[in-house]
Amino acid sequence: MEKAIEAQGLTKVFGWFGKKIIAVDSLEMSIDSGTIHGFIGPNGAGKTTTIKMLIGAIKPTRGKAFIFGEAAGSVRAKAFIGYSPEHPDFYSMSALEFLVYNGELCGLKQGEAKKRGKELLDWLGLSDFADKNARKFSAGMKQKLSLAQALIHDPDVLILDEPTANLDPIGRYEVLEKIAELAKKQKKTVFVSSHILLELEKIVDHVTIINKGKVILQSEINDLRKRFSERHFIINTKNNQNYLKSIQALQGAENAWINHEMKIEVLVKDSTRFKKAVIEMFRGKEDELIELLPLRMSLENIFLKVMGRETE
């Protein structure tokens, strides 16, 4: 599959002499065309700095990045990209005027830009505000208008930094639905950074986790869930506290504890042996066992485990 975004040893160092800060450190990344790629990490991990290098806003200290094979920051690479920042702001002009202005900057004729702008405002539920001053929009409305300006020239790659920030739950749902539609129906590549992982996991195909400027995990979302779930089980009995030590001692069990739902959570060495051992343990007293299921790990759970913030 064609690569929409590639990073090879991408590095950004700020400062001089003894005060150097390595914001992004030898980052390697490869993103297929037509996919939605989640880019996540804690605050200060290097996400926004990486995005700025990809769009050509800043130059890397070392390494290279490419957009459909074109060097990041080049005119050809920029032509592929639509970008929406985390904190968008606008000139004191109407929403439609702003979109037309951006469309013309991207090479569209005025009439074409106006038609496209109206379509995008309608698509995002902002058509009633087309003639209103964008500078006075609410934070959520600015976020939607920013997405519209990113799409004004019909780019192949969308790079979105916290696109659902400042939106209410309904607004977040609507924007995420629109992002999914862009990839599925229009075959666009979407590179999205977000802290709202429970919502992000509903639309992403792949995910990259970054920390202290380094990629620590990159995977398809389904493979990631399988990797973290296949050795993880939830057991619920009529008396979990009483059964905890017995389950910890079962063949195949590595560790077991009472989780926040007051159920027994178990990490196992061998899933098959463990399940057989549990079934044998409750033979003749099946009514004591309420639940035995593999744990379906959320992206947030996986992120916390990868970052070492959740004890197994």
Side-chain angles (χ1 to χ4, degrees):
M1 186 177 287
E2 188 177 17
K3 301 300 179 184
I5 300 174
E6 292 179 279
Q8 300 171 357
L10 199 63
T11 301
K12 184 62 183 179
V13 180
F14 293 103
W16 294 270
F17 307 112
K19 296 183 179 180
K20 290 184 179 180
I21 297 173
I22 303 174
V24 178
D25 189 0
S26 304
L27 186 141
E28 300 282 336
M29 192 162 54
S30 180
I31 298 170
D32 291 336
S33 170
T35 61
I36 303 178
H37 195 101
F39 191 54
I40 62 177
N43 289 333
K47 301 186 299 298
T48 297
T49 300
T50 300
I51 286 173
K52 286 181 178 180
M53 287 190 283
L54 292 177
I55 66 173
I58 60 175
K59 292 183 178 181
T61 305
R62 293 185 299 276
K64 298 176 182 179
F66 302 93
I67 310 295
F68 282 112
E70 301 292 342
S74 67
V75 173
R76 288 186 177 182
K78 289 179 179 179
F80 286 117
I81 296 172
Y83 167 61
S84 176
E86 181 178 2
H87 302 293
D89 204 357
F90 306 98
Y91 298 119
S92 186
M93 55 186 6
S94 75
L96 183 57
E97 286 173 337
F98 177 76
L99 293 179
V100 171
Y101 171 67
N102 276 272
E104 289 179 311
L105 286 177
C106 293
L108 301 182
K109 292 182 179 179
Q110 187 178 68
E112 186 182 3
K114 191 170 185 178
K115 179 176 180 292
R116 174 75 173 160
K118 287 181 177 179
E119 290 172 349
L120 288 168
L121 289 172
D122 183 60
W123 186 64
L124 288 164
L126 293 175
S127 54
D128 290 343
F129 303 93
D131 298 322
K132 303 296 183 182
N133 188 341
R135 197 83 187 259
K136 297 181 180 179
F137 278 9
S138 68
M141 289 170 66
K142 285 182 177 181
Q143 210 73 48
K144 287 186 175 181
L145 183 58
S146 181
L147 179 58
Q149 68 80 25
L151 288 164
I152 191 67
H153 59 301
D154 196 23
D156 294 304
V157 177
L158 268 181
I159 297 180
L160 310 176
D161 195 355
E162 299 290 346
T164 59
N166 305 309
L167 293 172
D168 59 36
I170 293 174
R172 291 201 301 270
Y173 173 80
E174 289 173 345
V175 167
L176 288 169
E177 285 287 297
K178 297 299 185 186
I179 292 171
E181 182 181 327
L182 291 168
K184 291 176 182 176
K185 293 185 179 180
Q186 300 185 34
K187 306 301 180 185
K188 295 188 184 300
T189 304
V190 182
F191 183 78
V192 54
S193 172
S194 176
H195 283 103
I196 308 175
L197 305 187
L198 291 174
E199 294 177 349
L200 187 66
E201 73 173 314
K202 296 174 184 176
I203 62 167
V204 296
D205 305 301
H206 299 73
V207 64
T208 293
I209 298 178
I210 183 175
N211 188 34
K212 297 180 181 178
K214 289 180 176 289
V215 170
I216 55 176
L217 185 149
Q218 186 171 14
S219 174
E220 288 188 19
I221 189 70
N222 290 334
D223 289 345
L224 193 60
R225 287 197 189 106
K226 183 178 179 182
R227 189 192 316 175
F228 279 83
S229 298
E230 63 184 358
R231 294 175 53 242
H232 226 117
F233 287 85
I234 291 292
I235 297 175
N236 193 21
T237 72
K238 288 186 175 179
N239 194 325
N240 288 331
Q241 199 64 55
N242 283 354
Y243 277 111
L244 178 61
K245 287 188 178 180
S246 299
I247 287 171
Q248 286 174 330
L250 285 177
Q251 187 176 24
E254 188 172 301
N255 195 7
W257 62 97
I258 303 294
N259 68 12
H260 64 286
E261 294 180 328
M262 301 309 293
K263 295 180 180 181
I264 301 173
E265 195 167 330
V266 192
L267 184 66
V268 305
K269 299 174 184 176
D270 186 316
S271 298
T272 303
R273 287 185 179 180
F274 176 74
K275 285 187 286 186
K276 286 181 179 178
V278 172
I279 291 168
E280 191 60 37
M281 177 180 175
F282 286 94
R283 193 176 301 279
K285 46 181 178 179
E286 286 83 0
D287 60 325
E288 289 284 309
L289 180 61
I290 299 169
E291 183 180 33
L292 169 60
L293 292 171
L295 177 64
R296 187 185 185 280
M297 297 284 283
S298 70
L299 182 56
E300 186 170 358
N301 291 146
I302 293 169
F303 174 74
L304 290 172
K305 287 186 180 295
V306 168
M307 298 305 299
R309 295 179 187 170
E310 185 168 289
T311 303
E312 293 185 342

